[in-house]
Structure formats: C-alpha cells, structure tokens
Amino acid sequence: MLRLVTPYIAWGYPSLKTVRELVYKRGHGKINGQRVPLIDNSIIERELGKFGIICMEDLIHEIYTCGPHFREVNRFFWPFKLSSPKGGMNAKVNHFVEGGDCGNREALINEFIAKML
C-alpha cells in the first residue's frame, strides 16, 4: 500500500518534541463527529478517561510510544491540517533520495514538519 502512495506523501520517524508541538498547536479531537480543539484537559478526560488517559501529556505519550490504547487515541484525533512548508518544496515529483520531497525522510521529517507548523 505504501508503494502506491509514495509519490504523493512524505513520512518518517518524528521526535517526541515534534509530536508534542503537533498536538499542542494543531491537535483537535473528534467528538460526536465534530472537530473540537483540544484546549482543555477535561475534553480529553471525558472522552478517553476510561482508558486512563486524562491529560494532553498522556495523549502525547500514547501516540509516541504506540501504547496499549493507541487505537482509541488515534481514532479520537482529527487529522492534522498543516500549511504548506515555508520556503516551498524542492521537487514534488521526485523521491526524497533524488532531491525531492516525497518518500521516507526518516529522522529528517522533523525539519519538514517544523516548516509546516
């Protein structure tokens, strides 16, 4: 499946700092099918408290470590809406190893996400 979408997406292994920034700046939850900003821990506790996740840091820890309730947390999150990278893209049609932007960036995904936050 990943081979089919490789020319269209960039992926990698983000650091804990990057995951934390993503969740705090662009994190929204899915409550009754609606997009709700995660501005208060009471929202998280109400929806995910039964799994022992009561605050933003628990949410980040569960996502970063792929903990036992990763599936529930992942379903709770609304997809992140990121802006275009500052400075533009290098070459959208080429793979990352060829000097483009799509494909597996491994640890360099942190810089790419920082340009989009």
Side-chain angles (χ1 to χ4, degrees):
M1 185 65 165
L2 209 51
R3 288 180 189 242
L4 293 174
V5 297
T6 296
Y8 307 105
I9 63 170
W11 73 93
Y13 314 110
S15 66
L16 180 60
K17 179 183 179 233
T18 302
V19 173
R20 184 174 282 125
E21 286 177 358
L22 255 167
V23 171
Y24 276 110
K25 289 184 181 179
R26 303 290 174 116
H28 287 79
K30 194 182 304 177
I31 300 173
N32 297 329
Q34 295 183 347
R35 183 176 185 241
V36 178
L38 300 177
I39 55 173
D40 190 15
N41 285 336
S42 65
I43 297 169
I44 297 166
E45 187 174 4
R46 189 173 352 118
E47 294 296 317
L48 298 171
K50 57 187 167 234
F51 303 113
I53 300 164
I54 58 170
C55 65
M56 199 74 106
E57 288 301 317
D58 290 344
L59 204 64
I60 293 166
H61 181 268
E62 198 72 22
I63 287 289
Y64 187 72
T65 60
C66 294
H69 300 292
F70 176 80
R71 183 176 182 183
E72 290 82 6
V73 171
N74 194 27
R75 287 181 178 211
F76 171 71
F77 267 120
W78 196 272
F80 295 108
K81 292 186 177 183
L82 299 173
S83 39
S84 299
K86 291 179 186 165
M89 298 180 127
N90 296 331
K92 289 194 294 188
V93 293
N94 291 347
H95 196 277
F96 181 66
V97 295
E98 298 168 345
D101 283 322
C102 56
N104 189 1
R105 296 175 151 266
E106 296 184 0
L108 298 175
I109 195 72
N110 297 317
E111 297 168 15
F112 194 58
I113 292 173
K115 287 173 35 176
M116 291 192 274
L117 286 177

